[in-house]
Amino acid sequence: MGAGEGVSYHAPSSFSSASEYGRAILDTPRRLCERAWAVSTPTEEMTEVKARSGTEMSRSLDWWDVIALGVGGMVGAGVFVTTGTAAHQYAGPSVVIAYLVAGISAMLSALSYTEFAVEMPVAGGAFSYLRVTFGEFAAFITGANLIMEYVLSNAAVARSFTAYAASAFGVLHADAWRVHVDGLSLGYNQIDPVAVSVVLLLTVCLCCSTQKSSMFNLVMTVLHMAFIFFIIIVGFVKGDTKNLMQAGDPAANLSGFAPLGIRGIFNGAAIVYFSFIGFDAVSTTAEEVKNPARNMPIGVSWSVIIVTVVYSLIAIALCMLQPYDMIDTGAPFSTAFQHVVGWEWATNFIGVGASLGIMTSLLVAMFGQARYLCVLGRANIVPRWFAAVNSTTGTPINATVFLGVCTAGIALFTDLSVLLNLISIGTLFVFYMVANALIFRRYHVPGKTNALPTAAFLTLLSVLAVTFVTVWQCDNYNRHNWALYLLGGLAIAMTTLFWVKIPTAQKGKDWSVPCMPWVAAASIFLNVFLLGSVDKDSYVRFLAWTAIAVVFYLLYGVHSTHDAEAQMSLDTSLKEFGRWTLDATSEAKNMEQNLEGGSRTLVAQAKYESPPSWKQFTAPT
């Protein structure tokens, strides 16, 4: 038998038996120290890790597909609610400025994502970016939270589709198309077959092919944008510019473009920012995009720009139709069209537009959640079964079907009123982490530079940002504005010092974020500010789910990745040893053929010993 032939060997699995698992659990502290900070490299992510899916995903998307996915993912039904809330309660007509502030913050985060996506065009998104920077544990916690956010928010959005679709047919009762079941707990007793049907339909679409899903999204996005531009045109034609400067009831409410000043603008920005979070899923398309070095920056950046312009225009249109204090926060556009324009069918019209927006945002979000789970499977943190890519469709079919069924199951029973803050904290946390990762990778190279200055800068910047948002939230009467100016000035001064003193260690070869570290530092500060606006219940849920994810990692993830790493090291050693034995055996045969008498050297191979041993003995002629 030739060297390395006919023999396979597998390291013992931690899950092969109860005794093996017991030993693995006892060994958890050592394995945790070994694996938690283990980082991969971009090359590994694009070769070894990606190869674990078996079949490669099909590169079929161009820059216009990325733009359409980004716009479709961001412009959902939320714009029909958040605009009215932000204008009526916080910003007034200056809600347009709030949208611009939120758009700038989204662009900063999008740029951070784009540099990683160009350097590593893989489907892992934020999980892969953090895995090559901060290690396996931080990447898993963020990835697990993102998947949870996606599933819960998709279930909630799917249920809202039922309500909007009913309103499109003139049925205004939100539960009219749901089935009431006696005996189930309140909040779980309204069965929603329409939501389930929509989720399963999109799941089938995503399983078929990425190109077909993209075309479906493109058509739905174009129709949805046509509805929105119709609303904008009507607002500009039927509206009155006086409403931008005067309250409907001047005796009871402040007038002016920004009645509550800059505080109202930034509080409004915190509300409307959640209409931008869909671009996170677009980063997971990098593995399926043609020429990602060119198409990803174009697609991600222009999708954020287009959405910011559209949101700003629709905000102006609403505030021109009605004074800000007269806007209905529940159904702002339907009410304005009925009472101001006089169109009683406006509710049906808004229902159609919102339904189309929900379809596109659901499609993009479900697209992203499947790719995150697929890459978690590639990393062996969850079972490898989820990493499989179908050879015919080129899609991660197992992950898509699994999460589609989970989403449909939750949407069937659970009434999730979490369309704004509750579904966004995990995404904001990931944006914050990716911005930190970009600075850390740009200014630190392991083994070449000292990580302490960069780590210290990131820590102090976060502390300043947390202190700033704490003062902002607690100072309702503007008594401590001096503290806000001081904290903001310190953040700027510290960033300037870091920029001057710490040289850039590495940059992206094909594309990199300009004006570093300012772009990423501003993103960190703004995301912390926005996190400060999220309600307490959201943090409780976020911490509870994070604790569940940590337990899963300790009981399964760390042992699975430990086994995979051990097997990979063994396979590498065996391959190297096989090549060595083949070379040695060949040399021995050549020596034997050249001998013409005397003693013959017989070579016996002892396979798979560590370290390998060779025995030579001489037999008489």
Side-chain angles (χ1 to χ4, degrees), residues 154 157-158 161 194-209 212-214 216-217 220 355-367 369-371 400-401 403-405 407-408:
N154 289 343
V157 170
F161 175 85
V194 175
V196 173
S197 300
V198 169
V199 171
L200 295 181
L201 173 65
L202 294 179
T203 299
V204 172
C205 179
L206 289 168
C207 288
C208 290
S209 78
K212 291 178 182 178
S213 302
S214 176
F216 177 77
N217 171 76
M220 300 297 287
S355 299
L356 292 172
I358 288 173
M359 290 285 283
T360 58
S361 62
L362 256 181
L363 179 71
V364 176
M366 291 175 65
F367 180 98
Q369 73 180 15
R371 274 120 187 105
T400 302
V401 171
L403 290 179
V405 171
T407 303

Side-chain angles (χ1 to χ4, degrees), residues 300-505:
V300 175
S301 301
W302 275 101
S303 63
V304 175
I305 292 171
I306 291 172
V307 169
T308 303
V309 171
V310 169
Y311 282 165
S312 300
L313 291 175
I314 201 171
I316 296 175
L318 177 63
C319 292
M320 287 177 63
L321 285 172
Q322 281 187 302
Y324 80 92
D325 57 335
M326 307 298 290
I327 293 174
D328 184 349
T329 56
F333 291 95
S334 297
T335 304
F337 271 52
Q338 290 176 7
H339 295 169
V340 179
V341 183
W343 293 348
E344 293 297 328
W345 48 266
T347 300
N348 307 57
F349 183 82
I350 299 299
V352 173
S355 299
L356 292 172
I358 288 173
M359 290 285 283
T360 58
S361 62
L362 256 181
L363 179 71
V364 176
M366 291 175 65
F367 180 98
Q369 73 180 15
R371 274 120 187 105
Y372 273 118
L373 185 59
C374 171
V375 175
L376 285 173
R378 289 176 180 176
N380 296 292
I381 297 180
V382 300
R384 182 79 71 86
W385 181 81
F386 291 111
V389 171
N390 185 271
S391 58
T392 303
T393 64
T395 59
I397 194 166
N398 292 348
T400 302
V401 171
F402 176 79
L403 290 179
V405 171
C406 290
T407 303
I410 296 173
L412 178 63
F413 293 98
T414 312
D415 185 14
L416 298 173
S417 55
V418 291
L419 287 176
L420 293 179
N421 289 4
L422 196 57
I423 65 173
S424 303
I425 181 172
T427 307
L428 287 172
F429 174 71
V430 173
F431 290 172
Y432 164 79
M433 290 294 292
V434 170
N436 277 274
L438 180 62
I439 291 179
F440 196 77
R441 277 187 61 81
R442 182 70 74 88
Y443 292 93
H444 170 62
V445 176
K448 294 183 179 180
T449 62
N450 185 4
L452 183 59
T454 305
F457 167 70
L458 294 175
T459 302
L460 291 174
L461 183 63
S462 295
V463 169
L464 286 174
V466 170
T467 308
F468 183 94
V469 73
T470 302
V471 174
W472 178 277
Q473 293 292 338
C474 296
D475 185 24
N476 294 324
Y477 299 100
N478 300 327
R479 295 175 180 174
H480 300 96
N481 283 343
W482 62 271
L484 298 176
Y485 296 139
L486 176 62
L487 291 167
L490 286 174
I492 293 173
M494 189 173 62
T495 305
T496 303
L497 181 64
F498 181 80
W499 177 48
V500 172
K501 292 293 185 180
I502 306 299
T504 300

Side-chain angles (χ1 to χ4, degrees), residues 40-41 43-53 128 131 375 378-379 387:
S40 62
T41 66
T43 302
E44 291 173 349
E45 293 290 329
M46 291 186 292
T47 54
E48 297 174 9
V49 175
K50 191 168 75 169
R52 293 169 189 165
S53 289
S128 297
R131 191 166 179 243
V375 175
R378 289 176 180 176

Side-chain angles (χ1 to χ4, degrees), residues 73-234:
M74 285 182 273
V75 184
V79 66
F80 296 107
V81 179
T82 56
T83 306
T85 302
H88 181 84
Q89 298 181 2
Y90 299 102
S94 64
V95 66
V96 60
I97 307 298
Y99 267 118
L100 291 175
V101 172
I104 292 171
S105 179
M107 177 61 76
L108 295 175
S109 295
L111 290 174
S112 299
Y113 269 78
T114 303
E115 178 166 326
F116 280 109
V118 170
E119 182 183 5
M120 291 187 302
V122 293
F127 171 80
S128 297
Y129 310 156
L130 294 173
R131 191 166 179 243
V132 301
T133 308
F134 296 134
E136 182 177 283
F137 180 72
F140 171 68
I141 294 302
T142 53
N145 270 289
L146 267 177
I147 291 175
M148 183 273 302
E149 297 288 341
Y150 274 125
V151 171
L152 291 185
S153 64
N154 289 343
V157 170
R159 288 183 70 91
S160 72
F161 175 85
T162 303
Y164 279 110
S167 69
F169 289 91
V171 181
L172 302 182
H173 192 275
D175 294 330
W177 286 4
R178 297 184 180 123
V179 180
H180 181 80
V181 179
D182 295 326
L184 296 179
S185 301
L186 183 64
Y188 300 91
N189 58 347
Q190 296 289 342
I191 303 302
D192 196 332
V194 175
V196 173
S197 300
V198 169
V199 171
L200 295 181
L201 173 65
L202 294 179
T203 299
V204 172
C205 179
L206 289 168
C207 288
C208 290
S209 78
T210 300
Q211 184 61 40
K212 291 178 182 178
S213 302
S214 176
M215 288 300 300
F216 177 77
N217 171 76
L218 182 61
V219 172
M220 300 297 287
T221 299
V222 169
L223 292 174
H224 183 216
M225 294 299 288
F227 275 87
I228 288 180
F229 276 111
F230 179 79
I231 294 172
I232 293 170
I233 292 170
V234 171

Side-chain angles (χ1 to χ4, degrees), residues 501-526:
K501 292 293 185 180
I502 306 299
T504 300
Q506 59 182 346
K507 292 179 66 175
K509 295 179 180 179
D510 297 312
W511 189 89
S512 58
V513 177
C515 303
M516 285 289 289
W518 295 98
V519 169
S523 179
I524 291 171
F525 208 90
L526 285 171

